[in-house]
Amino acid sequence: MGRAAQARRDEIVRLATTTGLASVEELSSQLGVTASTIRRDLAHLKAAGLLARTYGGAMAVVTHPEASLRQRIGEAFEAKRAIAAWAAAQIRPGETILLDSGSTTGALAHELRHAADLTVATTGVNALQELVGATGVHVECLGGTLRHVSQGFVGPLAEAALSRMTFDRVFLGADSVTAEDGICEASLQQTRFKELMMQRSRHIYLLVHAAKLGRRPFHAWARMPDTWTLVTDASATPESLKPFMAKGVETVVVDPRTHG
């Protein structure tokens, strides 16, 4: 097998793992090969135990194909940096804000390193690392049980700490989001905590790269309140944004060429 075929099959596994499902038509269009080539690739990957075939496509064989924080930090870097720059511009001096764990919220913490007169509470290890030397920022860690894959704190201790504070703004990340069901995550522990975070905050922002819109890779969901803001990047298609706008969600599309 040639290098091109191996690279294509590696990409098929990656797409099926990150999106939860890959169809023959989508893979053919995205990878620039015929549907019959994709079907041969899927048959090979199934025989190797790397994918499970479905009608018209394939899905990852693992139950929860959750990417680690280290993997996610390198994905869509410019888009995430632009989203973070926009989010930082919404914060006012004197506010108390809450940062979720995740790569985009970590990028937001990076933007806040030189802020003054600001209180930042966070559940994310990477956000804490970014703010270690930020002497103008008062930092609170909502510690609890560490999820090693996401490098974020969850659980009863984190929930107890959260209950002692309220916030002007919360900036959340997500594995994916749909207009119908809200935030999708790998575990119910995560989705419960995100709902509690939203309940304690006056303004709610969900910071997500466009690839996460409309995806359903897992089965744990956090319901969104009536009012919240979706912040994504310019690679989002009108079709992916339409369901959110139809529900009255404030939608912000950030262009990496003009932010960051």
Side-chain angles (χ1 to χ4, degrees), residues 61-146:
V61 295
V62 292
T63 304
H64 295 304
E66 183 180 7
S68 70
L69 178 65
R70 180 169 296 183
Q71 290 173 303
R72 287 182 280 126
I73 284 176
E75 297 173 351
F77 175 77
E78 294 298 332
K80 292 176 180 179
R81 187 174 67 172
I83 291 170
W86 181 92
Q90 312 312 304
I91 300 168
R92 302 291 176 260
E95 289 189 337
T96 295
I97 69 166
L98 175 58
L99 298 184
D100 194 5
S101 59
S103 55
T104 309
T105 50
L108 174 52
H110 181 82
E111 294 287 331
L112 299 176
R113 291 174 303 155
H114 303 296
D117 190 22
L118 186 66
T119 296
V120 177
T122 185
T123 63
V125 172
N126 60 333
L128 290 171
Q129 291 172 332
E130 292 285 358
L131 296 172
V132 164
T135 56
V137 180
H138 178 76
V139 180
E140 298 283 355
C141 174
L142 304 183
T145 302
L146 178 65

Side-chain angles (χ1 to χ4, degrees), residues 178-182 224-228 241-251:
T178 72
E180 299 78 18
D181 293 315
M224 304 304 291
D226 292 335
T227 303
W228 59 285
L241 296 174
K242 185 177 179 180
F244 298 96
M245 299 175 72
K247 279 190 168 289
V249 176
E250 181 180 1
T251 304

Side-chain angles (χ1 to χ4, degrees), residues 142-158:
L142 304 183
T145 302
L146 178 65
R147 295 188 76 251
H148 293 279
V149 66
S150 63
Q151 295 184 29
F153 295 103
V154 294
L157 293 178

Side-chain angles (χ1 to χ4, degrees), residues 8 12 15-16 21-43 51-59:
R8 187 177 63 248
I12 290 172
L15 289 169
L21 184 66
S23 72
V24 170
E25 292 75 16
E26 290 173 341
L27 292 170
S28 174
S29 175
Q30 188 160 347
L31 298 177
V33 295
T34 65
S36 60
T37 297
I38 293 296
R39 291 190 185 95
R40 286 195 295 271
D41 287 339
L42 295 180
L51 288 181
R53 284 300 304 269
T54 66
Y55 181 77
M59 64 185 298

